[in-house]
Amino acid sequence: MLKTMHSEVVESKSKERCELCKLADDCPNKYGEKITLKNHNLTVHYFCLLMASGVYQRGEEDEGIYGFLVEDIKQEIRRSSRLTCNACKKKGASVGCNIKSCRKMVHLPCGIQQEFIFQFTGQFPSFCKDHRPVQIQPLSSYTSNSLCCSVCLESVEPVLSYTVLKCPCCHSGWFHRDCLQHQANSAAMFFFRCTICNNKDKFQQEMLRMGIHIPERDASWELEENAYGELLQVYQHCDALKCRCDNGRGYSANDGKWVIIRCKFCGSRGTHRLCSSLKPFRRDWVCSDCRPVVNENGVVCQHIKSPASGEQEKKRHLKRQQTSLHSAIVCKKSSFQMNSPQEILHCLSKKISPLHFTLVEIKKDGVLKAAQQILRQNDFDPHHTMTVTFPGDKLHSEDVGSGNQRRFLRLLVQDLQNLSVFQGPENKKNLALDSQALRDDLYFDAGCILALSLVHGGPPPRFFSRALYKCLFNFPSDSRLTVRDMVDTVLAEKVKKIRDARSLKELKEAVSSSTEYLKVAGCFRQVNCLSDKQQLVDDIVTFHFITRMQLPLQRFREGLNTLGLFEQIQMFPGPFCDLFCSSSEKMSAGTMDSLFSVQFSVNEEKKKKERTVVGFWRQYLHECEEGRCATTLEDILIFATSADAVPAVGFNPAPSLSFLHPQISVGVFPERHPSFNHIVLPVLTSYEIFKKHMEYAVCQLTMMQTL
């Protein structure tokens, strides 16, 4: 986006300090343009303004500073003057971590020193060292060899960190952060791409996520005056070993033996016709540089990229200048921050295409195998709608459609917690360390399946332990992992003995009995006093949950980031915690009744009878809750929607009831339309008949689905 400053913006002097960061430095690549409004005695760095947590662009482009109104900027200066920087401990911290539970505040320059990540896109969020986005390294790209930065060609350790970044599209593009930023400043939006695989779109998107600023302009070399002037000149020089022309190598006639013929491939070498003994009709001369890659028929044996003519290059350059820039920096406007899991999942579900489908065919080996098979398909796309078929499905079965999909996701989440990557009691699972699961990449599969289930309308998992959620999302940030979180009873008992030792002798005995494990964990040490036990226990717990599980956690996070879910949970870990960790509350009759809207007939006589049936329906729900029926409330919900709980993303459409008015009540049972979350209740004369017919219909479905 090419911007024109307001008339009262003038060139700043080096002595004027930024009102937000309090520095006088004029370093556009680091802090953005330094802007002064003389009439308001106001100076700020543009990046300090973009990243400030309490100010948004409420004006037009020519108002204030690129749409940031002067009164808003002054209000932000007053707000930040009361806040202390976590780094320098001085007042004026205007930049805060975007994670709501995090209270870290810094000046922009201090944030750079503290390895904050500033995203120059969207709402311009900032992230502290604890919550910043990270890159995930695929298993296939792990290497112990030292590589080189693809920009500066200096060595780089192939370990992802704040200072080392990797191309998301290829396994060879490793970069120093500073080198990437210098390249972005030079190449800008049109030419910034991976130097190895040449990918532009995914590469720019990933680098913006990781805090690389990509200027919204043409490349620096494109902005030089007459940058391509030499391309408008035709090469006129004889490069023959011996030039026979009396007028010199630079002379070229319009025709005849002294006309200069240029190389047909590169165009950057030439010769007089006579100097290379060319016949009058020949114009396909090849220079000595290009000859080694041309066969005897004059065909290039390997790809050579010939320079375009000056006129073509000039046209392309003009076209780039005239093309409207696709901005990576959008206006920083205030927007409603979604913090409800249902809202976030609903937003993510909009990425799912209703026009493209992935066929999921359930066979005898179960839903988990079917899910893993589609994940391993080369053309699998999580954005496609899933079409699920179960054994014995009929073409016009009521379950075909979203009903089958919800049934599939319900069974999938039930089976998932029994996968070898999880261990621990029911509804309190931790990740297990399984070498075979690592080889089979089951940790990624498990994370991916959970993400697909949540976004596509599956039930909340609710089987994570608080410790696993803490390891994945560092929430709550102020809590610690303890021995109580360990589910390995043998190891937990040994660690408890160390924790509960009341004398130095007991402590040494406890340490001695666990020597083998402590050596493997790197925690073995001599204990000289009783106070040493707490640090030892903390180290063991950290090794057990974090150090030894780094690769499983990394692959699980990568799978969970399918459809962008992991990043959203990382932004709002608090609201999502209950979806993963809290055991579901038993459904009540009142809750069940409130889920369904009632669609009454227009005819008053029919409506009167339907109100009676609604009374039967509510009585039946209460008897199910009290255990006086052959069915449960969950069975009824499965009958209506194919889901045994309300999906995390909610029902779409909302469950509903309508009515059927039969001539006779014999053999008339409730009808289900799970693809529409709808039940049709027959209008019957007594509650006893209604209950009998409901139980028969629901139990019949339960029996059929368990076969």
Side-chain angles (χ1 to χ4, degrees), residues 135-147 157-161 166 170-172 174 438 441 547 549-558:
Q135 289 188 299
I136 300 174
Q137 185 174 350
L139 284 172
S140 56
S141 67
Y142 275 90
T143 177
S144 59
N145 301 326
S146 181
L147 302 175
E157 284 296 321
V159 178
L160 293 170
S161 64
K166 183 182 179 296
C170 65
H171 298 323
S172 305
W174 291 82
L438 275 173
D441 212 9
T547 308
M549 298 297 295
Q550 281 188 358
L551 189 53
L553 286 169
Q554 182 175 331
R555 293 300 292 159
F556 191 82
R557 290 190 191 104
E558 188 174 14

Side-chain angles (χ1 to χ4, degrees), residues 424-526:
E426 188 176 356
N427 299 327
K428 289 184 180 179
K429 299 287 186 180
N430 286 328
L431 280 188
L433 184 59
D434 187 319
S435 58
Q436 185 61 46
L438 275 173
R439 284 191 291 272
D440 296 339
D441 212 9
L442 292 186
Y443 294 96
F444 176 88
D445 289 352
C448 184
I449 287 169
L450 278 177
L452 288 172
S453 174
L454 286 169
V455 179
H456 281 261
R462 300 190 190 277
F463 62 80
F464 280 32
S465 69
R466 296 280 176 174
L468 176 54
Y469 197 81
K470 167 76 175 177
C471 293
L472 288 170
F473 306 108
N474 191 31
F475 180 86
S477 57
D478 56 351
S479 69
R480 292 193 317 163
L481 296 167
T482 65
V483 180
R484 290 192 299 273
D485 298 316
M486 300 173 69
V487 296
D488 186 335
T489 54
V490 176
L491 176 61
E493 288 301 319
K494 291 182 177 181
V495 181
K496 285 177 183 177
K497 287 182 179 180
I498 296 175
R499 181 197 64 185
D500 298 336
R502 296 184 179 182
S503 65
L504 183 59
K505 181 181 178 181
E506 284 185 23
L507 179 59
K508 287 184 176 181
E509 289 176 354
V511 170
S512 178
S513 65
S514 307
T515 299
E516 186 176 349
Y517 180 83
L518 294 179
K519 286 182 177 180
V520 172
C523 300
F524 183 74
R525 66 198 67 168
Q526 295 296 326

Side-chain angles (χ1 to χ4, degrees), residues 223-239:
L223 302 177
E224 297 176 11
E225 189 174 357
N226 296 323
Y228 294 90
E230 68 276 8
L231 294 180
L232 302 179
Q233 300 174 4
V234 177
Y235 188 81
Q236 297 284 5
H237 190 270
C238 178
D239 297 303

